[in-house]
Amino acid sequence: MSQAPAPFPPKPGSQLRGPHLTGRFADGSLGEFPLGPKTSLGRHPSNTLRLVDREVSKEHAIIERVGRDFVLKDLGSSNGTFVNGRKVLELKLRDGDEIALGASRLVFHSGEPPAASNTAPTMPGVTVVAHSVSVPAFLAQMDAVPQNFRPAEQVTDTEALRRDYEKLRIAHEFHRQVTVQGRQQDLFDQILKVAFQLLAADHGVILKVADGQFIPVAVQHRQGRQANVMLSDTVLKRVVETRKAVLTADAIIDERFSAAESIVAQGIRSAMAVPLMVNEKLQAVLFLDSRQQINAFSEKDLAILSGIAAQAGIALENAALAEQIRAEAVTRAELSRFLSKAVADAVINGGTEDLRQSRLAEVSCLFADIRGFTTLAENDSPQEVVSMLNAFFTAMADVVFRYEGNLDKFIGDCVMAVWGPPSSHPDDPGRALRAALEMQDAVTELNRQRVLAGKRPIEVGIGVNTGQAVVGYMGSAERHEFTAIGDTVNTASRLCGLAKSGEVLASEMTVRKAGPGFDVEALPVLQVKGKEKGVQTYRVHGAELTTSTSRRA
């Protein structure tokens, strides 16, 4: 028989598509090898896949294709053939099985795409099985451990004192090692770490419960030993249904190993499972097992684990609150791009009426528009135009927020702001006028910087109007915004269009409702587009000094 080529290291990005083996060989090299109808493995050069390793027999094992399956057979090797850490004589391989021959570790890949399934996602080393070889024996069941401590005068016996001390010890150890910083995943890992320090467990798993399925989210093994942790859904369902901790003795066996020697002794283990509750709602199940001996756990151990679960519930609740705070911070940051800080806080805290209910309300609407923008855009580069607009919009938004207005939208080179719902003030018309005046001051400062940089100044006209408008969320089901529409808004836009560079034009309604304190000049009645009657308009020159503005009359 001719000698087959030795396994070759995979090239970057290369990957065999059909059935194949990948892994690490005795000399430390990595490789991949395709599987044919019959693949022999051993130390002799005549093998299909030669393994140069003294611990491997000359003819050690074969992998043979049977229909669509691949079956691994040991050929009477001296040191045995192992699959996932267990010695086998013959076994039908599954995708991802690890085969150990001497110092070589090979992983079987079926080469087939995973079949569609409605089963819950899993994680390496954790398997939830619907049926076990033996029905779990429920040795004990326990209600949630209360964490309250009785006053000293009510402690009448030593046993009660011991129980309270145990609660205190668990709480101390838990809070000493567990923090609520970082991700929830980090918290799950910390919970398992504490459980392993307080209890002699071999394996631990935390599973979330979603739509009747158990989803492993954290797993830990003592001393880092990797093993497949198999859990009976009968045990898990008992915890979910009763909301109580359970102590069990169970034998869960992978059906592929049913013929293996001493399998019963390997499969029997003690196990505990407790619910992780947050505000009386089950968030997850904490599972620990021991394979050292039958009934390795006692009811005292179950009480300790229940105490850990109670402390974990508090930590999970704190983590959820911390996550809520972070989410609110993100929401506040998003809202603050359009609403004043006070209004954004009110929206987040539910301090405003339902924004989705459109209604008629009084608003003071402001438009600020750059004059001659088309000419600017034609003469400057796109980058310079964008930079100028960003500086202009930033300056305008700062003023709007300073007077607790709502930045409604940017329209090309124009800013629209509204004072009114979702949080109205008695002096909204005055706020709008003072904001308009301060906007012109901001434009003056912006132009000073532009001139120093050798750029042309920009010219801005502003119009303000007060009256009734329809306010609420408007748009499509996929994209909508909180805004105001109506004649009041249109008139403000028309006044803005009539305002010259540096001017603030306001309607009679705005000036009248703003009250005294403003230097205004009555203009002839203006005829604005879209209105049959002319609009009595005022040019606003300035405002008296107040605590909220430094502009002088």
Side-chain angles (χ1 to χ4, degrees), residues 272-488:
M272 297 184 293
V274 298
L276 299 182
M277 309 289 293
V278 176
N279 294 329
E280 299 184 355
K281 292 183 179 179
L282 188 142
Q283 296 294 313
V285 176
L286 170 59
F287 174 91
L288 297 181
D289 77 359
S290 172
R291 302 189 182 183
Q292 300 302 314
Q293 57 182 339
I294 302 175
N295 298 335
F297 293 134
S298 65
E299 290 191 40
K300 178 183 177 182
D301 296 320
L302 186 61
I304 293 175
L305 189 61
S306 297
I308 294 173
Q311 294 297 322
I314 297 172
L316 287 171
E317 182 178 4
N318 291 338
L321 290 174
E323 182 60 32
Q324 180 181 348
I325 292 172
R326 286 191 290 268
E328 287 182 357
V330 173
T331 301
R332 183 177 288 104
E334 290 297 316
L335 289 174
S336 295
R337 295 168 57 197
F338 303 97
L339 305 176
S340 67
K341 181 180 183 300
V343 176
D345 290 341
V347 171
I348 292 172
N349 297 328
T352 61
E353 55 189 281
D354 186 9
L355 301 181
R356 298 187 182 277
Q357 185 65 42
S358 298
R359 60 198 180 279
L360 196 65
E362 181 175 284
V363 300
S364 291
C365 187
L366 177 152
F367 283 86
D369 181 72
I370 298 177
R371 297 290 176 258
F373 176 76
T374 302
T375 303
L376 285 173
E378 289 176 350
N379 296 329
D380 293 338
S381 68
Q383 292 80 4
E384 290 175 334
V385 172
V386 170
S387 177
M388 180 270 291
L389 285 176
N390 285 338
F392 170 67
F393 289 149
T394 299
M396 298 301 98
D398 288 345
V399 176
V400 171
F401 293 155
R402 191 150 51 243
Y403 286 91
E404 297 185 347
N406 303 319
L407 184 60
D408 192 294
K409 60 175 68 71
F410 300 126
I411 311 168
D413 60 328
C414 178
V415 174
M416 175 182 171
V418 177
W419 279 258
S423 181
S424 302
H425 309 86
D427 60 340
D428 276 340
R431 289 172 182 254
L433 287 184
R434 293 184 185 278
L437 293 168
E438 199 163 311
M439 282 178 169
Q440 291 292 13
D441 285 346
V443 171
T444 299
E445 174 59 26
L446 187 62
N447 282 333
R448 187 185 66 82
Q449 297 175 11
R450 288 180 60 81
V451 170
L452 289 175
K455 300 176 182 178
R456 289 179 298 172
I458 61 175
E459 299 178 345
V460 176
I462 300 176
V464 184
N465 187 32
T466 300
Q468 297 291 308
V470 177
V471 295
Y473 274 112
M474 301 175 197
S476 67
E478 289 75 22
R479 186 181 186 279
H480 51 263
E481 60 184 1
F482 188 84
T483 188
I485 62 172
D487 180 68
T488 297

Side-chain angles (χ1 to χ4, degrees), residues 111-165:
E112 297 180 357
S117 172
N118 293 325
T119 58
T122 185
M123 63 191 308
V126 178
T127 305
V128 178
V129 294
H131 301 287
S132 57
V133 172
S134 66
V135 177
F138 292 98
L139 306 179
Q141 192 161 319
M142 182 177 295
D143 291 317
V145 176
Q147 293 302 298
N148 55 307
F149 295 89
R150 291 173 293 177
E153 60 270 14
Q154 294 183 14
V155 180
T156 58
D157 56 73
T158 305
E159 187 59 33
L161 186 60
R162 289 179 181 274
R163 288 195 297 268
D164 282 351
Y165 170 78

